[in-house]
Structures are given as structure tokens and as C-alpha cells.
Amino acid sequence: NAGVTQTPKFQVLKTGQSMTLQCAQDMNHNSMYWYRQDPGMGLRLIYYSASEGTTDKGEVPNGYNVSRLNKREFSLRLESAAPSQTSVYFCASVVQETQYFGPGTRLLVL
Amino acid sequence: AQTVTQSQPEMSVQEAETVTLSCTYDTSESDYYLFWYKQPPSRQMILVIRQEAYKQQNATENRFSVNFQKAAKSFSLKISDSQLGDAAMYFCAYRRVYNFNKFYFGSGTKLNVKP
């Protein structure tokens, strides 16, 4: 039982490049979230998926797209990376009010 | 928009002592939920305590209790008899009643516990 896994752990991108952050959970949860965590700003919700096949915008969705591929996987895509997207990205799988976070992806956009 | 503010980036407490972490929030809604989460180095966000806004009684979970002041939009966490295992980041969070998937987090308070 691995919980929530994220890949990659660290990535450096140039402005304008694209990439997809992968997230998978093996706990059979319906809800999955993507957050970004910036110093002094805490966690901000980017997108969430209440169940397989559904996705909704969170607090800061601009510049991102998501795909809930199946119940296990929820990916986050940056189509054209910008320096403002430098952050630590966390995926979470949620049951009731307990949120199980992945280890995070550190993204640096130059 | 809902905002959650934690004004103490870092705090320290002696083992067995009591510490209070502050949280304020802004909302125009009358009914909502408030939470305190603990994030140890393992990164898992652990629910510490939950408060429904319509309840006047302050929530308590063992050594953890809250002081919920609805009019002041204040929601502080008191940890009694602090233990070394309490050392972690603590996040205050808000969730609307009718959009239960959206959590709004504060910036966090790092709690150090000194032996």
C-alpha cells in the first residue's frame, strides 16, 4: 500500500515548455486534489476531482489543466510554463476530512 | 473569496507546556467548517480537530482544543501537555458547507517542541 505517489520529485523547465505531473493513489478514494504550496502563502487548491470523470477548478486554476484518467490517477499539466509557476506541487487523495498527501514535486521554471 | 490567515510562521513550546496557535479567516457565509491539520515531515496532512460554525461549543480532542470566536472570525488551537511528537507544521483550513471539496488553507505555523 503505497498511499499517494507523485512523479517526478523535481523538475526544471524553461519558460514556455510543457510538462505533466503524475499522481496516483491506491486507497480507492473518490476525491483527489492538486495544490501548490508557496512560501508564506500556504496551500492553494488548483483543481480537484470529486470522482472519476469529473474535475473542477479550485482557487488558482489559470495556466493548468487536469485529467482524471481513472479512479487511481489524477494528472496536472502545464501547457506553457511560466516563472510564476515555480512552486511545490502536492497531490492529495481525500476521504471525509482526512487528506493523504503525496511527497510533492518541486518545480523550477527558469 | 475566503481567506485564512495564520500570523505566526513559527512557534516554540517546552515539552509538557501549553501553546496556542492563532488563525483568523474571512467569509461572508454564516455556515461553514473549520479545521486544524498537522503536517509532519512525512507530508501526510492529519486532521487534528474540526469545528462546525453553527455549533457554539468549542471542539475538543484529547489534548487539543479550539477557541472559536465566530463574530471575530477567529479559530485558535490550544495544545496542552505538549509532546515531542506534536512538532510539525499546523495548518488552519476553511471549507464551505455546500461545496465540500474546496478547502482553503492558511500559510501554516511551524511548531517546535523543546525537550
Side-chain angles (χ1 to χ4, degrees):
Chain A
N1 187 336
V4 179
T5 57
Q6 289 182 239
T7 56
K9 287 187 169 50
F10 178 71
Q11 183 74 45
V12 179
L13 290 178
K14 294 180 180 178
T15 297
Q17 287 185 315
S18 63
M19 78 163 294
T20 299
L21 282 65
Q22 306 286 354
C23 174
Q25 54 95 3
D26 60 3
M27 295 173 284
N28 203 37
H29 294 162
N30 286 319
S31 295
M32 296 183 73
Y33 298 1
W34 274 106
Y35 291 98
R36 59 178 289 174
Q37 188 171 26
D38 301 297
M41 299 190 74
L43 288 154
R44 292 184 291 170
L45 183 64
I46 305 171
Y47 270 93
Y48 66 95
S49 171
S51 62
E52 183 180 351
T54 67
T55 61
D56 282 290
K57 295 178 180 179
E59 189 181 355
V60 289
N62 291 343
Y64 305 95
N65 286 303
V66 291
S67 296
R68 185 71 183 270
L69 304 170
N70 47 56
K71 195 169 188 178
R72 288 189 65 251
E73 298 172 288
F74 187 40
S75 63
L76 178 72
R77 183 160 178 84
L78 287 72
E79 291 292 350
S80 179
S84 61
Q85 295 179 303
T86 292
S87 187
V88 180
Y89 291 86
F90 287 100
C91 175
S93 177
V94 182
V95 60
Q96 297 180 347
E97 276 87 35
T98 300
Q99 304 200 37
Y100 296 85
F101 276 57
T105 295
R106 290 187 176 274
L107 177 65
L108 174 61
V109 183
L110 301 175
Chain B
Q2 285 75 29
T3 58
V4 179
T5 302
Q6 292 178 250
S7 58
Q8 305 152 317
E10 188 166 359
M11 294 189 72
S12 295
V13 63
Q14 207 71 32
E15 198 175 3
E17 299 285 303
T18 295
V19 64
T20 299
L21 309 183
S22 301
C23 173
T24 59
Y25 57 94
D26 185 27
T27 184
S28 58
E29 308 203 346
S30 60
D31 204 8
Y32 45 87
Y33 296 105
L34 295 166
F35 308 87
W36 278 99
Y37 284 91
K38 172 185 177 181
Q39 188 185 37
S42 65
R43 297 286 189 188
Q44 179 178 335
M45 200 74 87
I46 302 165
L47 178 64
V48 174
I49 202 163
R50 158 192 164 140
Q51 174 82 42
E52 289 97 336
Y54 67 87
K55 290 186 177 179
Q56 292 186 344
Q57 186 174 7
N58 289 325
T60 299
E61 288 288 340
N62 300 315
R63 299 182 294 107
F64 299 87
S65 61
V66 298
N67 183 4
F68 174 48
Q69 301 288 329
K70 191 173 184 179
K73 296 180 182 176
S74 171
F75 182 60
S76 60
L77 175 69
K78 186 172 82 171
I79 306 174
S80 304
D81 185 25
S82 297
Q83 300 175 359
L84 294 177
D86 294 334
M89 284 290 289
Y90 285 83
F91 290 93
C92 178
Y94 167 103
R95 195 196 84 189
R96 296 170 67 186
V97 170
Y98 299 109
N99 191 338
F100 57 86
N101 279 296
K102 286 191 175 181
F103 285 79
Y104 297 88
F105 284 85
S107 55
T109 296
K110 183 180 180 183
L111 179 66
N112 303 306
V113 181
K114 299 177 181 178

